[in-house]
Amino acid sequence: MSMDTRIESALKAALSPEALADCPPLLASSLPYAVFPGGARIRPTILLSVAMACGDDKPAVTDAAAVALELMHCASLVHDDLPSFDDADMRRGKPSLHKAYNEPLAVLAGDSLLIRGFEVLAAVGPECPDRSLKLISKLGQLSGACGGICAGQAWESEDKVDLAAYHQSKTGALFIAATQMGAIAAGAEPEPWFDLGMRIGSAFQIADDLKDALVPAEVMGKPAGQDSTHQRPTAVQTMGIAGATKHLQDILAGAIASIPSCPGEAKLAQLVQLYAQKIMDIPAAADRS
């Protein structure tokens, strides 16, 4: 089974009609709407790749971790699009959830997705209690108020913003979660995987800043120019286009070197190199406008 198929199958099972049988109908339909069709599924793919590089001896635990992480990410997108944040009408080429349904339901759908992720992790507790508990703790830590994605959103309300802390919590946190949860799911220590997750997350945030400034909405499938509209701190604002591009190159240059020693190190390095090439393809994306 390919990683893409594995991720999609696990997500569909977590949001199946059977899993949502007691859910109010509109809320039940809004949850799959927020998750399918998905984007690149980059975070769960990285998680699976790390778990496989470390042995992946408990596939059900790995699948649960991948689902929980992607549901957390999708929940954050639903909340990001709300009028109180980005006020975005489109997401992944279709109306954002609050436009397709309504604003109260979008709040509840985002909340339900993140809670569903923790339920999925708890469900594998009987098979591997220690790993399940560690995964729950790690996802909670990297999605919460102290360095998690909630902190990332909260930085936008501060008068003075620490750009590095803002980027690490807003985008980097779930990439750190991807590498560390992948290690935990396979029974490996998570700490050595922090740097790889941080580098990939920082690269994606800077690339996102560049795309927001350079790539039109019809190419991205979501509104462009949001950072400027909402006066957010960005790498482009701080360093300019050339400076941000150079900083992105520097971060990615050290990503492969940061991969810890593991049985599947060579294959994982190939994947990281592939992601690095995709991340750097910003001018090509802009040229297609």
Side-chain angles (χ1 to χ4, degrees):
M1 185 188 298
S2 70
M3 281 196 288
D4 288 347
T5 301
R6 184 174 169 181
I7 291 166
E8 293 306 309
S9 296
L11 284 167
K12 287 175 181 175
L15 297 177
S16 68
E18 293 77 17
L20 302 176
D22 296 327
C23 184
L26 279 177
L27 184 57
S29 68
S30 73
L31 302 186
Y33 184 90
V35 177
F36 306 107
R41 306 290 196 213
I42 293 168
R43 293 156 190 81
T45 299
I46 291 172
L47 189 153
L48 256 65
S49 300
V50 170
M52 292 168 71
C54 294
D56 194 23
D57 62 330
K58 298 283 187 181
V61 177
T62 301
D63 289 352
V67 166
L69 182 62
E70 183 65 6
L71 293 183
M72 181 64 71
H73 172 58
C74 291
S76 74
L77 299 183
V78 172
H79 286 165
D80 281 351
D81 291 338
L82 288 168
S84 56
F85 288 104
D86 287 358
D87 194 17
D89 291 347
M90 301 293 292
R91 170 67 65 179
R92 292 171 173 168
K94 66 180 184 180
S96 51
L97 198 145
H98 72 276
K99 287 293 183 180
Y101 290 82
N102 57 57
E103 189 174 339
L105 200 66
V107 173
L108 294 171
D111 291 348
S112 298
L113 286 172
L114 62 90
I115 293 168
R116 181 70 184 127
F118 286 108
E119 288 177 334
V120 169
L121 289 177
V124 295
E127 178 173 346
C128 200
D130 183 53
R131 295 184 199 181
S132 173
L133 183 59
K134 287 180 179 178
L135 288 166
I136 290 169
S137 176
K138 182 59 66 176
L139 184 59
Q141 172 196 346
L142 291 169
S143 57
C146 301
I149 55 175
C150 290
Q153 287 294 96
W155 271 113
E156 295 176 5
S157 297
E158 296 290 336
D159 292 331
K160 296 182 68 176
V161 179
D162 181 328
L163 187 61
Y166 172 55
H167 278 181
Q168 182 169 318
S169 55
K170 182 180 181 183
T171 301
L174 289 191
F175 282 99
I176 295 168
T179 55
Q180 292 195 319
M181 289 174 70
I184 292 168
E189 289 299 318
E191 286 75 17
W193 293 92
F194 177 90
D195 192 49
L196 176 63
M198 182 179 66
R199 284 181 176 275
I200 296 173
S202 296
F204 266 90
Q205 181 59 60
I206 295 170
D208 194 59
D209 289 352
L210 286 163
K211 288 176 184 177
D212 190 72
L214 297 172
V215 183
E218 56 268 23
V219 174
M220 292 199 294
K222 63 179 183 177
Q226 290 289 87
D227 293 332
S228 176
T229 299
H230 296 283
Q231 298 182 319
R232 293 198 192 99
T234 69
V236 171
Q237 179 191 72
T238 304
M239 308 173 192
I241 298 293
T245 302
K246 176 63 167 59
H247 189 46
L248 176 58
Q249 292 170 336
D250 292 343
I251 290 171
L252 289 172
I256 293 176
S258 72
I259 297 174
S261 178
C262 58
E265 183 178 348
K267 189 171 182 179
L268 185 58
Q270 292 176 349
L271 179 71
V272 172
Q273 181 63 42
L274 178 63
Y275 275 131
Q277 292 170 357
K278 289 182 178 180
I279 293 169
M280 287 304 303
D281 194 26
I282 298 163
D287 291 342
R288 287 196 294 270
S289 63

